[in-house]
Amino acid sequence: MCKPLPKASKHSSFQRLGPFSDLPHRVLLFCVLAVFSSRLAAAEISSIDLVRVKNGNLEEALFYYEHNWLVYRQRALERGLINGFDLLLDEQHEGGSLLMLGTKYKDKKQFEQREENFATVMPSNRQPVLANDKQPADFREIVSYGDFVRP
């Protein structure tokens, strides 16, 4: 048979709080969720594109990214619109050269505003700077892309 709960006394550490008996747990849960969600919002996000260089056109691809992609990333970094960027080359890949393009955003807010932010550093009537008459589709193929959060 179950024993009834003891009655609270002013000398007892046990108190009946009625519907608020789990209030400390709710406060704790709220604090944990608040910290977790703020950490997620403040977590650095990286957008990464993996680009395969087509038909041995590495010079054209590098020229294109150095005179377009890098220029806009540098401007965005100087204005505090991104947290960093990387352009990495793997010349030893079996299927030809690969480029990895990474843009880092300091938090979810900066990431979500990326389109508007880049519009401020790119001229609206921009034409890509090319090494010769080859168009980007002639020398590159985006094989993979994704957005990643730093754990």
Side-chain angles (χ1 to χ4, degrees), residues 35-79:
V35 168
F36 179 73
S37 63
S38 67
R39 178 167 163 75
L40 183 60
E44 185 179 74
I45 299 173
S46 295
S47 292
I48 298 175
D49 292 347
L50 189 61
V51 178
R52 183 177 65 85
V53 177
K54 293 169 65 174
N55 306 319
N57 290 302
L58 182 58
E59 281 186 40
E60 287 82 358
L62 287 175
F63 184 93
Y64 173 79
Y65 285 110
E66 289 170 355
H67 291 85
N68 296 280
W69 189 88
L70 282 174
V71 171
Y72 299 129
R73 295 312 181 274
Q74 185 61 43
R75 287 182 194 163
L77 184 64
E78 290 167 0
R79 295 182 187 178

Side-chain angles (χ1 to χ4, degrees), residues 49-66 87-101 131-132 134-144:
D49 292 347
L50 189 61
V51 178
R52 183 177 65 85
V53 177
K54 293 169 65 174
N55 306 319
N57 290 302
L58 182 58
E59 281 186 40
E60 287 82 358
L62 287 175
F63 184 93
Y64 173 79
Y65 285 110
E66 289 170 355
L87 172 60
L88 304 173
L89 170 63
D90 178 2
E91 289 185 285
Q92 305 302 319
H93 193 268
E94 292 176 17
S97 298
L98 290 176
L99 296 170
M100 187 182 80
L101 313 168
N132 49 39
K134 292 181 184 176
Q135 295 300 307
D138 297 332
F139 56 77
R140 68 168 183 156
E141 174 188 10
I142 298 174
V143 294
S144 181

Side-chain angles (χ1 to χ4, degrees), residues 7-8 27 35 41 65-66 73 79 81-82 86-87 99 101 103 107 113 116 120-121 126 129-130 137-138 145:
K7 291 185 177 179
V27 170
V35 168
Y65 285 110
E66 289 170 355
R73 295 312 181 274
R79 295 182 187 178
L81 303 175
I82 62 173
D86 287 309
L87 172 60
L99 296 170
L101 313 168
T103 304
D107 55 25
Q113 295 174 339
E116 299 88 20
T120 67
V121 297
R126 74 182 187 283
V129 179
L130 302 170
D138 297 332
Y145 59 91

